[in-house]
Amino acid sequence: SVGVGEEEADAGEAREREKLMKKHAIKASDDERTRVKKSKILKSLKKKERFSKLDKQQSDKKSNWQTFLKGKGSKKKKGFITGRKKESIFKTSDGGKVGVTGSGKGVTDFQQRKKHKFSHE
């Protein structure tokens, strides 16, 4: 996903970094004050490079997420209970009989209670 222009810019930054690293390289002939100064400069260069890399990663993640959301919102949803008005599964009808709505099965009929008679055979 990296373009040609971005690769050239990255290569240019790498060359620039190498020049700075060579320029501020600590030599055996440097005195203590110069060594400390160069080490601080090198440390700051490495820190800037690390932060720019992290920023680039963060912006890449951000753009990937935004393109994902953009594509996700434009599609029609397919699958379980789409296009159907949502209603409670605990809803009762006007008669007050309880059943599961949308299951396709009717409500069980009310049967009159009777006393069971055993036959002695």
Side-chain angles (χ1 to χ4, degrees), residues 29-116:
S29 61
D30 292 337
D31 62 339
E32 188 62 30
R33 184 175 176 197
T34 309
R35 286 181 189 202
V36 170
K37 188 175 181 181
K38 285 184 176 182
S39 67
K40 286 183 180 180
I41 291 171
L42 288 173
K43 189 175 182 180
S44 70
L45 286 173
K46 289 176 184 177
K47 186 176 180 181
K48 284 179 186 177
E49 183 181 355
R50 190 181 76 225
F51 279 127
S52 66
K53 186 177 179 182
L54 289 173
D55 285 342
K56 184 173 178 1
Q57 287 176 347
Q58 182 69 23
S59 65
D60 289 346
K61 284 183 181 180
K62 179 182 172 186
S63 64
N64 287 342
W65 179 249
Q66 286 175 340
T67 54
F68 169 74
L69 286 179
K70 191 180 203 181
K72 188 173 179 81
S74 65
K75 295 178 183 175
K76 295 279 185 186
K77 293 182 180 179
K78 295 180 182 176
F80 186 67
I81 311 179
T82 54
R84 184 190 289 181
K85 183 181 174 187
K86 293 183 180 181
E87 56 185 32
S88 173
I89 62 169
F90 303 109
K91 182 178 128 182
T92 58
S93 62
D94 293 336
K97 295 183 179 182
V98 179
V100 179
T101 60
S103 66
K105 226 176 193 185
V107 180
T108 55
D109 293 328
F110 180 75
Q111 294 179 351
Q112 200 66 15
R113 294 183 186 168
K114 301 185 249 179
K115 190 170 185 179
H116 184 72

Side-chain angles (χ1 to χ4, degrees), residues 6 15-16 25 53 65 72 96 118:
E6 291 178 18
R15 283 189 296 256
E16 187 69 28
K53 186 177 179 182
W65 179 249
K72 188 173 179 81
F118 291 98

